[in-house]
């Protein structure tokens, strides 16, 4: 039996449950497509644009975030935004590695801006708990939405990650009683929906150190320029989640995965 996974995952992550049953009386082959799971290639020409293929999971793993009248609206204080706010604290830049974790990676970036001593949170736990809360999970989406990942964090908290980060990528990762208890030590206080105005965004970043964003992105995101700037491009390519962790007079500073 040959099992081929789709965009936004790996063979083992997608087919682990089915493969266990099928392997009882069949030979099961589950290859990882190039740049997914543990697969890579030394070839210069793969027949597709490697950068676009490698980043395709970013576009297939985030559901649209619907407005909710229960959201609390962020209201900036009567303060003048600073001209520049640099990212504070230690940055843990993550690579999704073909997994549909963009919402969880973005939330982790925002959480870690509030933690002391450069602590790192478990992205896999944020993602799995989001899947339990997300209204979109029943539609077969491999990823989640911002609302799902925030609700998962709100109801369950999150563990700090060990120094090796191994549990984030373990295909057999499970939520144990010990992990659930540990997660309650890191829970959110409150969260607010920020308006689309530049001043509101700047004040929210200035006050908190990070804002969680879901947005439609364009081709310019695939290949920033030599200075790391994302240049405008009219070709829209999909939904993505990321964190805004600072700003300059030129624009916002983005932490991506």
């Amino acid at each position: 039996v040959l099992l081929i996974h789709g965009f936004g995952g790996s063979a083992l992550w997608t087919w682990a449950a089915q493969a266990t049953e099928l392997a009882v009386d069949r030979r099961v082959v589950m290859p990882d497509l190039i740049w997914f799971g543990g697969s890579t290639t030394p070839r210069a020409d793969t027949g597709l644009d490697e950068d676009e293929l490698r980043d395709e999971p970013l576009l297939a793993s985030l559901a649209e975030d619907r407005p909710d009248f229960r959201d609390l609206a962020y209201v900036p204080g009567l303060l003048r935004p600073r001209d520049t706010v640099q990212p504070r604290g230690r940055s843990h830049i993550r690579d999704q590695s073909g997994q549909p974790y963009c919402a969880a990676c973005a939330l982790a970036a925002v959480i870690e801006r509030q933690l002391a001593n450069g602590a790192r949170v478990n992205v896999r736990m944020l993602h799995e708990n989001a899947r339990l809360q997300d209204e979109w999970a029943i539609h077969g989406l491999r990823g989640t939405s911002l609302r799902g990942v925030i609700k998962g964090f709100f109801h369950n908290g999150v563990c700090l990650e060990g120094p090796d980060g191994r549990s984030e990528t373990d295909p057999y990762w499970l939520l144990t009683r010990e992990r659930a208890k540990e997660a309650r030590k890191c829970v959110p206080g409150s969260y607010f929906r920020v308006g689309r105005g530049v001043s509101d965004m700047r004040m929210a970043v200035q006050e908190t150190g990070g804002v969680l964003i879901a947005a439609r992105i364009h081709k310019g995101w695939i290949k920033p320029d030599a200075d790391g700037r994302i240049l405008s491009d009219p070709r829209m390519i999909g939904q993505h989640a990321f964190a805004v962790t600072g700003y300059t007079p030129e624009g916002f500073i983005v932490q991506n995965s």
Side-chain angles (χ1 to χ4, degrees), residues 59-78:
L59 316 178
S61 60
L62 183 72
E64 180 182 355
D65 182 35
R66 291 177 174 174
D68 191 313
F69 71 91
R70 295 168 296 181
D71 289 342
L72 298 176
Y74 170 75
V75 179
L78 297 177

Side-chain angles (χ1 to χ4, degrees), residues 57-65 102 214-217 237-241:
L58 305 181
L59 316 178
S61 60
L62 183 72
E64 180 182 355
D65 182 35
C102 69
R216 294 185 65 203
I217 61 173
I237 56 177
Q239 292 275 126
H240 186 43

